[in-house]
Amino acid sequence: MTLDDLQCWLLVYDHSILTALINAVTALSLYVSLRAGIFNLSAIGFMAIGAYTAGILSLRTAAPAFLGIAAGVAISLLVGAVLVYPVLKLRGHYLAIATLSFGAIVQALALNLDALTGGPAGLIGIPATVRVWHLLLVLAAVLYIVWAAQASRTGRAWDAIRTDLSAARAMGIPVEQYRLLAFLISTALAALAGGLWAHVNRVIVPFEFGFAQLTFALVQTLLGGLSNPFGPVAGAVIVSTMPDWLAGFDQYREMLIGALLVVVVIYLPQGLATPFEALRRRARGGDDPGPKPLAAAGEPRQGQT
Amino acid sequence: MLQQQLVNGIVAGSVYALFALGFNLVLGALNILNVAQGAIFTLSAFVAFFLIKLFQVPFVLALLLATLAGGALNVLLELVVFRPLRARGGTSMATLVASIGASMVLISFAQLISGAQVERFPLGTLPEVQWAQGGVRLSFTQALVLCVTVLVMVGTWLLLNRMRLGKAIRTMAFSERIARMLGIPTGAVAAWTFFISGALGGLAGVLLGLMFNSVHFLMGEPYVLKGFAAIVIGGFGSVTGVIVASMMIGLAEVFSTVLGIGTFRDVVIFGMLFLFLLFRPNGLFGRDEELRP
């Protein structure tokens, strides 16, 4: 392949690459929450806040993109800081329902605050100033932060909390602090992804921040698996580029993604890493499956009654 | 005027109650939050629509068949998705994620068969009867919804308190392990629970489709979220609670329109849900969640 070919290829697939990189940030947002055992489904809501803030700022004040994106992250963190106290007190299904309905509230507001958000038609004409190399830098930075966090004491605390919240607390781990940290990192990443999204797509409409989007984010995160942060990134790249390498994907998009999610959850609990994990376990000789990837802190575990 | 709105609110609440009762049954008995219930709601409405439109089936029969179809579909989900997941020791969060995926598959199937069109029942599907009494009007569909809801409530109560299956379901709700120790065929009971739950969801879907004379592939989505609200406000696992909460949601919807904030009625309802989660997470009639084994 010559340099020209490469250039041509990059041009053709520019939008897929941009989408994949942004989705990788979203997937990492979900990853951080899930790793800490917080079944937080609010990512799409915060993504919407980030996207709308960036979009409105850039349309109304012609502020540079990075300023609008930063403002989106700041506002999301403020909202998240208010939301986090009630939400983290909840367990299991309650937490999922609360965060899911937070997303529904954001979507309802985006649909109905016409003066601010443009209602169902959304915001049109946001300058598309974000380039692939910007996103590569952002993703590298995010990946580094998440990697460093999960490979440190923090990550071990998250694993402990996910496995058994009460035991972690009894060991002297400041559970609430670590959960707070995970929730806020997750919030900031989702808002960041939203802001970038606004400056890539030129258009944001409320319908993009719904159930379908959440399903996509979940597939990407879980396909990659939770064992390390490269998993969700790989998952995001695989799923986001599917329209390019899977013929007929666009027609049956939702159906395929939904089915993939079901299959991954049932048969690949560690994502694509499942076969390798199994091999490693066999090599180690033990048959301890380790902590469940999709456990929610504070829920009674199976067989523990 | 006020009484009319009250009636409208109760009718709207009845549909929520039917839907949320099914939700609640599976949640209580098996600790599964089945998001796909919304898709079953939608698909049952489509089954009724196609039966009436293509085969000119009388609406009573169509209602019955669509309800059965909803139940059968939910059993299919249990067999294909939830049972294998349980056998592999999936957590309740894994079940929730799987149900989100299953829901997506079913909804896009509905989109495929309808071509994303809003469908309407042919004229004269339902008798155009109306009763008026002191300024309050009740259409035939509204009366039908109310009657069906009352019947279903009585039926659910009888099932849970008077029948062997109901006792088995309640034992499973207490602890699946103990149920198995007592020799209860937990697999069969789970399948029946899913059937009843799906049938209730399907019934709600058909009734809603008839009420607004519109069937489309996204009609179930708001019901999932409001079903969540109903079970949280009512208290997980409480039948009375769910019914009261559904009525509250129906009335809140109608009255926020009366107050002129109709566009924000979803915000009102989810705000209510949030307040409950904050100050009374066990809902109006719920048991203490910590006590669940």
Side-chain angles (χ1 to χ4, degrees):
Chain A
M1 186 190 276
T2 66
L3 205 63
D4 275 352
D5 284 344
L6 186 71
Q7 222 163 17
C8 184
W9 186 84
L10 281 177
L11 213 63
V12 169
Y13 291 107
D14 189 52
H15 197 260
S16 298
I17 299 170
L18 287 165
T19 311
L21 292 174
I22 291 178
N23 286 342
V25 177
T26 316
L28 281 171
S29 157
L30 268 173
Y31 167 82
V32 172
S33 282
L34 293 177
R35 181 79 188 255
I38 308 170
F39 201 70
N40 175 10
L41 300 176
S42 61
I44 302 303
F46 285 115
M47 217 178 143
I49 294 180
Y52 272 100
T53 313
I56 290 167
L57 271 182
S58 110
L59 284 179
R60 298 256 166 113
T61 67
F66 76 91
L67 217 66
I69 295 172
V73 173
I75 290 180
S76 290
L77 278 175
L78 273 178
V79 177
V82 177
L83 190 67
V84 71
Y85 289 100
V87 161
L88 283 189
K89 262 195 263 167
L90 305 171
R91 304 271 179 258
H93 289 318
Y94 284 92
L95 203 153
I97 290 178
T99 50
L100 208 58
S101 37
F102 168 75
I105 291 179
V106 173
Q107 202 186 15
L109 286 175
L111 264 170
N112 293 314
L113 289 174
D114 291 36
L116 200 62
T117 63
L123 296 176
I124 299 162
I126 304 159
T129 44
V130 170
R131 300 274 167 270
V132 169
W133 66 271
H134 296 144
L135 288 179
L136 281 174
L137 283 182
V138 169
L139 182 61
V142 167
L143 201 52
Y144 173 75
I145 294 170
V146 174
W147 176 270
Q150 63 87 39
S152 70
R153 203 183 174 83
T154 310
R156 290 196 295 279
W158 286 343
D159 285 340
I161 294 168
R162 184 176 86 241
T163 313
D164 192 331
L165 188 117
S166 312
R169 190 179 281 136
M171 302 258 293
I173 296 172
V175 168
E176 302 313 322
Q177 273 177 34
Y178 281 113
R179 272 158 61 89
L180 182 73
L181 182 69
F183 189 89
L184 290 182
I185 293 180
S186 193
T187 300
L189 292 183
L192 177 65
L196 294 167
W197 177 260
H199 282 284
V200 162
N201 275 8
R202 293 192 177 94
V203 178
I204 27 179
V205 289
F207 299 108
E208 272 173 0
F209 302 100
F211 234 63
Q213 201 73 10
L214 177 67
T215 316
F216 273 81
L218 279 169
V219 170
Q220 292 165 353
T221 314
L222 298 175
L223 181 67
L226 292 184
S227 41
N228 74 65
F230 289 103
V233 174
V237 171
I238 294 173
V239 174
S240 319
T241 55
M242 265 184 189
D244 298 315
W245 52 262
L246 202 65
F249 176 80
D250 271 328
Q251 204 178 349
Y252 301 102
R253 212 163 81 110
E254 271 88 12
M255 209 178 276
L256 286 172
I257 289 294
L260 183 62
L261 186 58
V262 173
V263 169
V264 167
V265 170
I266 301 176
Y267 299 103
L268 298 172
Q270 315 273 354
L272 289 177
T274 308
F276 304 105
E277 294 280 328
L279 277 180
R280 213 168 68 183
R281 239 185 3 253
R282 201 166 302 156
R284 242 190 277 136
D287 57 359
D288 169 37
K292 294 254 169 63
L294 261 185
E299 278 245 310
R301 281 184 297 163
Q302 290 242 320
Q304 208 193 18
T305 26
Chain B
M1 182 62 193
L2 191 69
Q3 287 123 328
Q4 180 67 58
Q5 297 300 347
L6 211 61
V7 169
N8 292 351
I10 289 174
V11 171
S14 300
V15 179
Y16 285 126
L18 287 176
F19 183 81
L21 270 178
F23 232 163
N24 199 36
L25 198 63
V26 167
L27 181 68
L30 301 158
N31 203 25
I32 291 172
L33 200 57
N34 183 13
V35 175
Q37 176 95 349
I40 285 167
F41 176 92
T42 309
L43 280 174
S44 296
F46 271 109
V47 169
F49 168 76
F50 283 121
L51 282 176
I52 291 174
K53 173 110 188 208
L54 299 180
F55 303 105
Q56 286 85 39
V57 174
F59 91 93
V60 181
L61 189 61
L63 184 68
L64 208 66
L65 289 175
T67 305
L68 292 178
L73 199 57
N74 218 18
V75 172
L76 187 71
L77 281 185
E78 147 77 351
L79 295 180
V80 175
V81 179
F82 298 115
R83 187 164 295 182
L85 193 55
R86 271 206 304 281
R88 287 158 175 270
T91 59
S92 61
M93 294 304 108
T95 343
L96 175 55
V97 175
S99 81
I100 291 177
S103 164
M104 194 83 174
V105 173
L106 296 179
I107 289 175
S108 56
F109 179 68
Q111 183 179 10
L112 209 66
I113 56 171
S114 70
Q117 294 286 312
V118 177
E119 306 281 10
R120 304 204 178 283
F121 287 100
L123 219 64
T125 302
L126 289 175
E128 302 274 342
V129 194
Q130 224 176 46
W131 293 278
Q133 178 87 54
V136 178
R137 276 190 324 214
L138 194 67
S139 72
F140 179 81
T141 340
Q142 286 181 315
L144 178 73
V145 170
L146 288 177
C147 291
V148 168
T149 311
V150 171
L151 281 179
V152 164
M153 281 174 197
V154 173
T156 315
W157 187 85
L158 285 176
L159 169 80
L160 286 178
N161 293 293
R162 288 284 179 274
M163 285 170 64
R164 278 177 71 92
L165 177 62
K167 285 181 188 157
I169 290 175
R170 275 162 49 210
T171 316
M172 295 258 289
F174 179 71
S175 159
E176 193 176 338
R177 242 177 61 175
I178 290 176
R180 216 175 301 131
M181 279 187 226
L182 290 171
I184 292 172
T186 50
V189 173
W192 272 108
T193 312
F194 268 95
F195 180 80
I196 297 166
S197 159
L200 288 176
L203 190 59
V206 181
L207 288 176
L208 186 86
L210 287 171
M211 217 160 79
F212 292 110
N213 196 9
S214 119
V215 178
H216 61 105
F217 73 101
L218 283 176
M219 65 193 277
E221 206 169 297
Y223 274 77
V224 175
L225 290 163
K226 283 168 195 159
F228 284 160
I231 48 181
V232 170
I233 294 173
F236 274 21
S238 162
V239 174
T240 328
V242 164
I243 293 167
V244 173
S246 303
M247 295 301 167
M248 276 169 65
I249 291 173
L251 289 169
E253 246 179 20
V254 168
F255 279 97
S256 44
T257 313
V258 174
L259 293 173
I261 50 168
T263 43
F264 291 102
R265 56 175 193 266
D266 286 359
V267 181
V268 171
I269 289 162
F270 294 122
M272 247 162 67
L273 166 66
F274 249 91
L275 288 180
F276 265 93
L277 283 171
L278 276 184
F279 298 112
R280 209 179 151 72
N282 289 322
L284 292 169
F285 297 90
R287 302 164 289 181
D288 193 352
E289 177 78 357
E290 295 294 320
L291 284 181
R292 272 184 73 109

